[in-house]
Amino acid sequence: MDVLAPYVATGWWPAVRARAELLEAWGRADEAIVLCRSRAKTGERLFAEFFARLQARHGQGVEAFAMLRPGIEDWFLAAALVDVAATAGLDEQAAALLEARIGAAVPACDDLDCGRMRLEPFNAVELLAAVRERQGRIEEAIALMGRRDGTSVNGRDALADLLARHDRIGELRAYAATEYHGHAVQRLAEVLEERGDVEGAIASYRTFADECDGLWHVAVPLTELLVRHGRADEAIEVMRDLAGRPGGAEDWIVNTLCDLYAGQGRAQDALVYLDDLKERRGGVEDWDFFRMRLPLMARCGLTDEAVERARVHPEGDTWYAAWSLAELLAAAGRTEEALTVLERHPGHLVPFRAELLVDLGRVDEALRLLQQPPQPDPTDDPWTAAAHPDEPPF
């Protein structure tokens, strides 16, 4: 609290929030509410959302709901309002507000053929579905989720999750067969695995993968499932299949394959694969692929050779190459060398340098480094926008 005090006095929100969280954790919620009340009234959405949830946790849900209500058009505040409504017993009031917003939706453009609507908040349908699910009106919730333009956010499909929560496995199967991104079939596989039907989970992925080239979407969760059940060799074949398809040997795919090999003690096999890939590409190996070699070579006892090859690589003088090389050296216990590599690029990777200084017991140096103002990027840095031409030929 003493450390936070001068920052709280300036009104800096992260400090105010941290102090409020401490007070609440110590059973002094009334003090936390008093601390945040005046700031929440400024209308700033971060303040209002935090304060409303704080109030709702401590018996002031009705007041919190009233504060959030004018901001119903903001998706962030609307989500908080729906959560607050649950504790305040105001689900019907929240539903009425959301239904009004859905009814006020307008066409997203002037094109008569455009079927999209501009809805504010954009998550009104999903939030209304959450309220109806909470009320036990599952059919309404499912119907609402089916109206959305898209139900996948951050790799999760809200409709699939809803069906799984209510054991609607038949409907989930049907939905998984038509959902393009593979998120619904992933949820189906998760449910089957939880029930002990591992073969069914694997089969659901393989069926999806065989249709419309769906392997691109489910290769990673499928390999993770196989590895969890001791079938790493099959997982490796899945990724080799994907990497062997036209355009399939992308860096993330090859990196996943190398990780699978390494996890099974087959680092040498991964190196052989990288050698073959390099040969197929005319002997050229960009850093994105070369960097995968470094930890594999270290696993094979070839750390010194890996360091030397990294230093003579055409991109070996770049800051991003320094990052990979420093990680290799640090993992080998050669922290001083790793720090020297990073110091050649003073404008980059400052937190990593500070971490290494701390590992070496040079804490004061790490603090001074972190307190320095950031340095401008070098003018010849290939990663800056200025380094890329905007006139043909590009």
Side-chain angles (χ1 to χ4, degrees), residues 1 5 12 33-34 51 55 74 82 106 135 145 154 156 159 180 186 213 215 279 285 296 309 339 349 366:
M1 294 287 277
W12 186 43
I33 289 172
V34 170
F51 182 58
Q55 285 184 301
D74 183 310
V82 166
V106 297
Q135 294 175 317
M145 291 305 302
N154 295 332
R156 304 300 303 183
L159 176 55
Y180 170 77
Q186 181 177 350
D213 211 16
L215 185 59
E279 184 176 349
E285 189 172 50
L296 296 170
R309 289 184 61 178
L339 185 60
L349 306 171

Coordinates of all heavy atoms in Angstrom, one line a residue, residues 1 5 12 33-34 51 55 74 82 106 135 145 154 156 159 180 186 213 215 279 285 296 309 339 349 366:
M1 N 0.8 -1.2 0.0 CA 0.0 0.0 0.0 C 0.9 1.2 0.0 O 0.5 2.2 -0.7 CB -0.9 0.0 1.2 CG -2.0 -1.1 1.2 SD -3.3 -0.8 0.0 CE -4.4 0.2 0.9
A5 N 0.8 4.3 -2.9 CA 0.2 5.5 -2.4 C 0.5 6.7 -3.3 O -0.4 7.4 -3.8 CB 0.6 5.8 -1.0
W12 N -3.7 7.7 -11.2 CA -3.3 6.7 -12.3 C -4.1 5.4 -12.0 O -4.0 4.8 -11.0 CB -1.8 6.4 -12.2 CG -1.3 5.5 -13.3 CD1 -1.6 5.6 -14.6 CD2 -0.4 4.5 -13.1 NE1 -0.9 4.6 -15.3 CE2 -0.2 3.9 -14.4 CE3 0.3 3.9 -12.0 CZ2 0.7 2.9 -14.6 CZ3 1.2 2.9 -12.3 CH2 1.4 2.3 -13.6
I33 N -14.6 0.4 -2.5 CA -15.7 1.0 -3.2 C -15.6 2.5 -3.1 O -15.8 3.2 -4.1 CB -17.1 0.5 -2.7 CG1 -17.3 -1.0 -3.1 CG2 -18.2 1.4 -3.2 CD1 -18.5 -1.7 -2.5
V34 N -15.3 3.0 -1.9 CA -15.2 4.5 -1.7 C -14.0 5.0 -2.6 O -14.1 6.0 -3.2 CB -15.0 4.8 -0.2 CG1 -14.5 6.2 -0.1 CG2 -16.2 4.5 0.6
F51 N -15.6 -1.0 -11.4 CA -16.3 -0.6 -10.2 C -17.7 -1.3 -10.1 O -18.1 -1.7 -9.1 CB -16.6 1.0 -10.3 CG -17.3 1.5 -9.1 CD1 -16.8 1.4 -7.8 CD2 -18.5 2.2 -9.3 CE1 -17.5 1.9 -6.7 CE2 -19.2 2.7 -8.2 CZ -18.7 2.5 -6.9
Q55 N -18.9 -3.6 -7.1 CA -20.2 -3.4 -6.4 C -21.0 -4.7 -6.3 O -21.6 -5.0 -5.3 CB -21.0 -2.3 -7.0 CG -20.4 -0.9 -6.7 CD -21.4 0.2 -7.4 OE1 -21.6 0.2 -8.6 NE2 -21.9 1.0 -6.6
D74 N -22.1 0.1 -25.7 CA -20.7 -0.3 -25.7 C -20.6 -1.8 -25.3 O -21.1 -2.2 -24.3 CB -20.0 0.6 -24.6 CG -18.5 0.3 -24.6 OD1 -18.1 -0.9 -24.5 OD2 -17.7 1.3 -24.5
V82 N -24.6 -7.6 -18.2 CA -25.2 -8.9 -18.2 C -24.7 -9.7 -17.0 O -25.5 -10.4 -16.4 CB -25.0 -9.6 -19.5 CG1 -25.3 -11.1 -19.4 CG2 -25.8 -8.9 -20.6
V106 N -29.5 -1.6 -37.9 CA -29.7 -1.1 -39.2 C -28.8 -1.7 -40.2 O -27.8 -2.3 -39.8 CB -29.5 0.5 -39.2 CG1 -30.5 1.2 -38.3 CG2 -28.1 0.8 -38.8
Q135 N -31.5 -18.4 -17.6 CA -32.9 -18.5 -17.2 C -33.5 -19.9 -17.5 O -34.6 -20.2 -17.2 CB -33.8 -17.5 -17.9 CG -33.5 -16.0 -17.5 CD -34.2 -15.0 -18.3 OE1 -34.4 -15.1 -19.5 NE2 -34.8 -14.0 -17.6
M145 N -28.1 -17.9 -30.9 CA -26.7 -18.1 -31.3 C -26.6 -18.5 -32.8 O -25.7 -18.1 -33.5 CB -26.0 -19.2 -30.5 CG -25.8 -18.8 -29.0 SD -24.9 -17.3 -28.8 CE -23.4 -17.7 -29.7
N154 N -11.5 -16.2 -30.6 CA -10.3 -16.7 -30.0 C -10.2 -18.2 -30.0 O -9.8 -18.9 -29.0 CB -10.1 -16.2 -28.6 CG -9.9 -14.7 -28.5 OD1 -9.4 -14.1 -29.5 ND2 -10.3 -14.0 -27.5
R156 N -12.6 -20.3 -30.0 CA -13.8 -21.0 -29.3 C -15.1 -20.7 -30.0 O -15.2 -19.5 -30.4 CB -13.9 -20.7 -27.8 CG -12.6 -20.9 -27.0 CD -12.2 -22.4 -27.0 NE -13.2 -23.3 -26.5 CZ -13.0 -24.6 -26.4 NH1 -11.9 -25.1 -26.7 NH2 -14.0 -25.3 -25.9
L159 N -21.6 -21.2 -29.9 CA -22.7 -22.1 -30.1 C -22.3 -23.6 -29.7 O -23.1 -24.3 -29.1 CB -23.2 -22.1 -31.5 CG -24.4 -23.0 -31.9 CD1 -25.5 -22.9 -31.0 CD2 -24.8 -22.8 -33.4
Y180 N -17.0 -24.2 -40.5 CA -15.8 -24.2 -41.4 C -14.5 -24.2 -40.6 O -13.6 -24.9 -41.0 CB -15.9 -23.0 -42.3 CG -14.6 -22.7 -43.1 CD1 -14.3 -23.5 -44.2 CD2 -13.7 -21.7 -42.7 CE1 -13.1 -23.3 -44.9 CE2 -12.6 -21.5 -43.4 CZ -12.3 -22.3 -44.5 OH -11.1 -22.0 -45.2
Q186 N -13.7 -29.4 -32.7 CA -12.8 -29.4 -31.6 C -13.5 -29.6 -30.3 O -13.2 -30.4 -29.4 CB -11.9 -28.2 -31.5 CG -10.9 -28.2 -30.4 CD -10.0 -27.0 -30.4 OE1 -9.9 -26.2 -31.3 NE2 -9.2 -26.8 -29.3
D213 N -10.5 -30.2 -47.3 CA -9.1 -29.9 -46.8 C -9.1 -29.4 -45.4 O -8.4 -28.5 -45.1 CB -8.5 -29.0 -47.8 CG -7.0 -29.2 -47.9 OD1 -6.5 -30.3 -47.5 OD2 -6.2 -28.3 -48.4
L215 N -7.9 -30.5 -42.7 CA -6.7 -30.8 -41.9 C -6.0 -29.5 -41.4 O -5.4 -29.5 -40.3 CB -5.8 -31.7 -42.6 CG -4.6 -32.2 -41.8 CD1 -5.0 -33.0 -40.5 CD2 -3.6 -33.1 -42.6
E279 N 16.9 -28.7 -49.0 CA 17.4 -29.2 -50.3 C 16.2 -29.0 -51.4 O 16.5 -28.6 -52.5 CB 17.7 -30.7 -50.2 CG 18.3 -31.3 -51.6 CD 18.7 -32.7 -51.4 OE1 18.8 -33.2 -50.3 OE2 18.9 -33.3 -52.5
E285 N 17.7 -21.4 -46.8 CA 17.0 -21.7 -45.6 C 16.9 -20.3 -44.8 O 17.9 -19.9 -44.2 CB 17.7 -22.7 -44.7 CG 16.9 -23.1 -43.5 CD 17.5 -24.3 -42.8 OE1 18.8 -24.2 -42.5 OE2 16.8 -25.3 -42.5
L296 N 17.3 -28.1 -31.6 CA 17.5 -29.5 -32.0 C 18.9 -29.9 -31.9 O 19.3 -31.0 -31.4 CB 16.9 -29.7 -33.4 CG 15.4 -29.5 -33.5 CD1 15.0 -29.5 -35.0 CD2 14.6 -30.5 -32.8
R309 N 27.2 -21.9 -36.7 CA 26.4 -21.9 -37.9 C 25.4 -20.7 -37.9 O 25.1 -20.1 -38.9 CB 25.6 -23.2 -38.1 CG 26.5 -24.4 -38.5 CD 25.7 -25.6 -38.7 NE 24.7 -25.5 -39.8 CZ 24.0 -26.4 -40.3 NH1 24.0 -27.6 -39.7 NH2 23.1 -26.2 -41.3
L339 N 24.4 -12.6 -23.1 CA 24.3 -11.1 -22.9 C 25.1 -10.3 -23.9 O 24.7 -9.3 -24.4 CB 24.7 -10.8 -21.4 CG 24.5 -9.4 -21.0 CD1 23.0 -9.0 -21.1 CD2 25.0 -9.2 -19.5
L349 N 15.1 -5.9 -27.6 CA 15.2 -7.0 -26.6 C 15.7 -6.6 -25.2 O 16.3 -7.3 -24.5 CB 16.0 -8.2 -27.1 CG 15.6 -8.7 -28.5 CD1 16.6 -9.7 -29.0 CD2 14.2 -9.4 -28.4
A366 N 20.3 -4.2 -14.3 CA 19.1 -4.5 -14.9 C 18.1 -3.4 -14.7 O 17.4 -2.9 -15.6 CB 18.5 -5.8 -14.4

